[in-house]
Amino acid sequence: MKIITTVQEMQTITSKLKRQGTSIGYVPTMGFLHEGHLTLLRKARQENEIVVLSIFVNPLQFGPNEDYAAYPRDFARDRSLAESEKVDYLFYPDEKEMYPAPPSVTVVAHQRTDVLCGKSRPGHFNGVVTVLSKLFNIIMPTRAYFGMKDAQQVSVVDGLIKDFNYPIELHTAEIVREPDGLAKSSRNVKLNQAERQEAVYLFQSLQLARQMIQDGERNPARIIESIRQMVETNTSGEIDYVEIYRYPELQKLDRLTGRIIIALAVKFSSVRLIDNITLKIEAK
Ligand code: AMP
């Protein structure tokens, strides 16, 4: 595995691969790798000749009161995990390399961002699509891999790829969970012991929602209320949102039908967690 820290070197390599017609599978991450990231890498490994992993904690996608400085980092560990997954190139630029000066142009996501995390983290998705535009131009992937853990991100990136005509296939992977159901996240290390126990109720409440739907419930408000109740009763966290939309359009629904997402975000003492399920509901 080769570690690349400059844009120029990365671009020289990927341009050459591109000219040779070599397929490039790309997994963008912010590091502190866990099984969720590794699943994406394994998919990329299976489906491409070359695998590129990037690790870059992108300051542009963090709000002023968010955890950019405190975001967990462990490059030595990430590097050895990447090596075990047979990554060919690990792109690891620093902030100065990616943003040598304040950006003169940034990308704005106009749709699918007025709900969920887009609403509670203003500017977040603009930061995401801006850095991804740069990374796509640097890595020139054939296929890019994203996790459904960040389902809204998948929806927004789908728009970016289509609207900006990137010749990239978007591939997704299901959420990887801890044995008790908590969605794996680099941020889980920020939970204290009691919160770690409580955090399982995010998943439990989504399971309850799934069960309600299986039992015939089609009213989103009633499902949202049950999720809220379960989280409020069983955790010390503060609910940021619990919402249900059509997926991937992220449009409101009065009655549940078709492909939907049920998503929630909960703030604990020093970390905000997100989780979701997507379901396909057949019309009755
Ligand atoms: P991050 O490093 O948090 O920016 O995540 C990088 C990629 O890994 C994103 O596409 C995430 O959606 C994905 N990812 C993070 N956690 C999980 C998980 N538990 N299961 C599946 N994919 C994940």
Side-chain angles (χ1 to χ4, degrees), residues 28-31 34 36-37 40 71 146-147 149-150 153 174-176 184:
T29 78
M30 300 203 295
H34 53 68
H37 301 114
L40 295 171
Y71 194 83
F146 291 85
K149 165 85 191 325
D150 301 278
Q153 174 170 268
E174 288 313 306
I175 301 179
V176 178
K184 296 222 182 209

Side-chain angles (χ1 to χ4, degrees), residues 178-222:
E178 299 289 351
D180 66 1
L182 174 66
K184 296 222 182 209
S185 163
S186 306
R187 290 186 167 102
N188 288 350
V189 293
K190 302 260 168 192
L191 293 165
N192 68 34
Q193 227 175 5
E195 290 171 337
R196 171 62 190 84
Q197 307 277 318
E198 295 166 12
V200 72
Y201 283 98
L202 273 71
F203 174 67
Q204 296 280 343
S205 69
L206 292 171
Q207 292 296 89
L208 169 68
R210 190 195 296 275
Q211 189 58 52
M212 288 174 76
I213 292 168
Q214 252 165 34
D215 294 344
E217 183 61 78
R218 293 291 181 270
N219 179 342
R222 279 207 283 271

Side-chain angles (χ1 to χ4, degrees), residues 19-34:
R19 273 200 305 279
Q20 294 167 340
T22 306
S23 58
I24 303 172
Y26 171 43
V27 181
T29 78
M30 300 203 295
F32 212 71
L33 302 181
H34 53 68

Side-chain angles (χ1 to χ4, degrees), residues 7 11 60 97-100 129-139 166:
V7 170
Q11 242 170 357
L60 240 54
E97 182 65 17
M98 287 297 280
Y99 303 112
V129 289
T130 297
V131 79
L132 282 176
S133 301
K134 287 167 70 69
L135 289 164
F136 286 167
N137 288 324
I138 297 164
I139 314 248
Y166 281 107

